[in-house]
Amino acid sequence: MQGSLQSLVEMFASGERCLVIPVYQRNYDWKESHCAKLFDDLVETIVEDRPTHFFGSIVYKVEGAVGEFTVIDGQQRLTTVNLLFLALRDALDNGTIHGDTGLAERIFKEYLHSEYAASKQKLKLKPVKADADAYSRLFKGPDSFDEDSRITANYRYFLRRVAAGELTSQQLFEAIRKLQVMKLQLEASDNAQLIFESLNSTGLDLSEADLIRNFVLMGLLPQDQEILYDQFWNRMEENVRYDTSRFIRHYMTAKLGRTPRIDELYEEFKKYVKRNQLEVPAVLADMRDYSRHYRTIRDAATGVPAVDRLLRRYNLIDRDVTLPLLLPVVAEFRAGTVTADDLGDVIRTVDTYLTRRFVCGYPTNALNKIFALLYREATKRRRPGDRFSDVMIFLLTRRQGTGTFPTDQEFEDALRTKDFYHVSMPQRSYLFECLENGNSNDIRDIAGALSSGDISIEHIMPQTLTPEWRETLGQDFERIHGTWLHRLANLTVTGYNASYSNATFTHKRDRADGFRASPYRLNALLRDAATWGEEQLQQRADSLVQTALAYWPTPDSAYEPEPDLRDVEPMGEDTDFTGRSIRAWEYQGAQNPVTTWKSMLIQVARMLAEQDSAGIHRRASRGDWWKIRHDQAAKVESGYSEVVPGIDVYTANSTSSKMWILRELFHHLGLDTDELVFHLTPEATTLDE
């Protein structure tokens, strides 16, 4: 690498020069605040008579056509200065400011125009894709501008600052020429990707998706970069609406069977590609295809009306946690290995599982691991002729601990007693949408009306009791009010909540826009009720429970497992592995065969000791199943097994005790217990020794 401190404008200083932003770079994203800071710095440079102003580094390499510089780092600064040059040129041309009549022509010829550029317009700067189009439009006049582009917004900002007259045209031109950069030219022997990673090691400037794009495209020939970007990467980003890092995390979770940390996504992706010896075009093609499935789910666009109706309702709540399951299932649907009915049953079952768990108050922290592994588990168990949904239902309904599928009784009890008024608005809207419409094709958009404010949630028995309401409820009004106020039975939807206020039940029922005139199924029982008290609340609770059980039923599965099939289960926090036989353990994508829980415990402890020897030593020093032998040559005490020289762990104990040791060790080291996955045979008896 060759480097020198030079004036920024020297990057432009040649009639043959063309500055190319390669497709693996992110789009231009400097905000107005960044442009304001640059302009303020330029003003200070003139006011304080500074000889120079340092403006960061520019890393580039010479490749492609004659005179082309490929910008590895610094494209945001180069593009911004180019926009400032253009704004200054145009302000001089249209008379917004006055100055040397030759300055505008000089700016165009030296800094904006290149006779040898490949584009028809012969522009010296070639931004990335959509930015290039927005940039070229700036040379065609305001009628052609792309007003949605940040390129255009920043150009207009500079026009305003130039017109404000803080500096004369000549002063501004000289200030720009005082910008200095560390100019670094890469040589053929330099590893551009490693240098790029080093320059962006803070992670402040680039997203994980930006780093991944650079990784897969940098180093290829420019023409190959263009092809892969156009055919795969750009189409993927369009499909996911440019929420690319988030999508890639779901993609990687589906591939790895675990959820990578968002700030480690780039490193995980690199390891995945290298470990599996994947070719870049194949990886990009797969990501593009998955992005299509992502769009299908998001837009409820399978093309099957019944499935799309399910998805539209399913998407009322953020259920990204299920995408590692749904993405490959939709891929199978597109490939014809999962039928439309099967796909519908998958969505319906997952919807029921999540809804029941929410209503019953189950924690959500177990869901990431469950859905990261569920597709892999079902695929391993699925035989020719098996419906995917049947296998998945079998796996979900037999889960224990934090992954439990709530029973009908648990669901019913929670529906009757839960405070549904103080749940999140998306959950509340979703629940009332489903309770109103059920499985009917004749639907009303409850969720949309709640979101827009056209209707709202109404307490039938009001939050503040009037004397009339106390009389209606009777002597026990305090208990009834305190018990039933926020329960489902006392909540409904109406477009007239504000006007209902604390009115009596008969007034709410009989007024012109009251419950008797309501078009909603949810208000059917209210139309004919003579009064509103505990008896009516109980009746409505019974009715809503039956509606909920019909819409979110316990799913049936025709799947019968073979006795010797392997099972996959994360260690987690409370799963009981007593009576289960282990075949292998898996951590961070690497599988290790074992035949006993004892061997597993020793191997996992040794692996963790390699990763954090000090942490293992600190834990062993506290005792409780652990021992430190200060004489490493001494014999290991009976019942203990050596982890590393001088540190032993007790292994002559039950499977549940071994789980306690491992879970406690994971907590001590700050690790996720769901990251350790066991491959099991459910029918076999356990071998502890």
Side-chain angles (χ1 to χ4, degrees), residues 123-357:
L123 301 180
K124 184 157 290 190
L125 179 72
K126 181 188 176 186
V128 177
K129 297 300 174 181
D131 290 339
D133 179 64
Y135 178 67
S136 67
R137 287 171 179 265
L138 297 180
F139 290 84
K140 300 176 183 178
D143 291 343
S144 299
F145 286 3
D146 179 359
E147 299 297 350
D148 293 329
S149 171
R150 191 157 285 170
I151 289 270
T152 307
N154 288 350
Y155 165 77
R156 287 195 179 280
Y157 171 79
F158 283 136
L159 278 178
R160 294 194 298 272
R161 288 296 296 265
V162 170
E166 298 164 82
L167 297 175
T168 67
S169 58
Q170 191 62 41
Q171 285 175 323
L172 181 55
F173 180 69
E174 291 303 323
I176 298 171
R177 288 171 58 82
K178 289 184 177 185
L179 292 174
Q180 278 196 331
V181 294
M182 178 58 70
K183 182 179 171 186
L184 301 168
Q185 180 180 346
L186 299 189
E187 298 174 343
S189 59
D190 290 324
N191 187 318
Q193 179 65 24
L194 291 179
I195 292 170
F196 181 84
E197 290 178 24
S198 176
L199 289 166
N200 293 280
S201 59
T202 63
L204 296 175
D205 292 332
L206 297 180
S207 69
E208 295 295 300
D210 290 329
L211 293 168
I212 290 170
R213 181 185 61 242
N214 298 339
F215 169 70
V216 295
L217 296 178
M218 185 181 288
L220 301 177
L221 294 173
Q223 59 267 33
D224 294 333
Q225 292 175 4
E226 293 276 348
I227 292 171
L228 293 179
Y229 180 86
D230 286 338
Q231 293 186 359
F232 302 121
W233 187 272
N234 191 47
R235 294 184 187 180
M236 175 188 70
E237 291 206 300
E238 289 174 348
N239 287 335
V240 303
R241 299 182 182 132
Y242 300 96
D243 195 0
T244 314
S245 293
R246 189 177 184 181
F247 162 71
I248 295 177
R249 192 183 191 199
H250 296 312
Y251 173 81
M252 290 302 298
T253 301
K255 296 298 180 181
L256 298 175
R258 57 184 174 82
T259 305
R261 282 178 42 172
I262 188 63
D263 59 342
E264 295 178 355
L265 187 58
Y266 167 55
E267 292 298 331
E268 291 276 15
F269 183 86
K270 282 202 306 182
K271 291 177 186 176
Y272 167 71
V273 170
K274 292 178 179 178
R275 182 171 60 244
N276 294 285
Q277 299 181 332
L278 301 174
E279 297 293 331
V280 166
V283 175
L284 290 178
D286 193 45
M287 292 170 70
R288 178 200 58 190
D289 291 344
Y290 263 66
S291 74
R292 290 170 176 164
H293 309 323
Y294 185 89
R295 186 179 64 186
T296 293
I297 295 167
R298 286 280 189 234
D299 295 348
T302 66
V304 181
V307 175
D308 291 341
R309 189 162 54 247
L310 279 172
L311 277 174
R312 280 192 293 273
R313 196 173 291 175
Y314 185 88
N315 288 337
L316 290 172
I317 307 175
D318 179 2
R319 285 171 164 174
D320 276 7
V321 70
T322 65
L323 286 173
L325 165 72
L326 294 185
L327 285 170
V329 173
V330 171
E332 288 210 39
F333 166 69
R334 293 300 188 198
T337 55
V338 163
T339 66
D341 287 344
D342 200 3
L343 174 60
D345 286 342
V346 168
I347 297 166
R348 193 175 290 106
T349 299
V350 173
D351 180 30
T352 298
Y353 178 62
L354 294 178
T355 301
R356 286 191 171 211
R357 286 176 61 87

Side-chain angles (χ1 to χ4, degrees), residues 383 386-387 389-391 393-394 555-561:
R383 300 156 302 202
D386 285 336
R387 298 174 80 244
S389 57
D390 283 341
V391 184
I393 290 168
F394 170 81
D556 293 325
S557 172
Y559 177 75
E560 291 290 339

Side-chain angles (χ1 to χ4, degrees), residues 19 123 256 395 523 642:
L19 302 175
L123 301 180
L256 298 175
L395 292 170
N523 295 330
E642 184 177 74

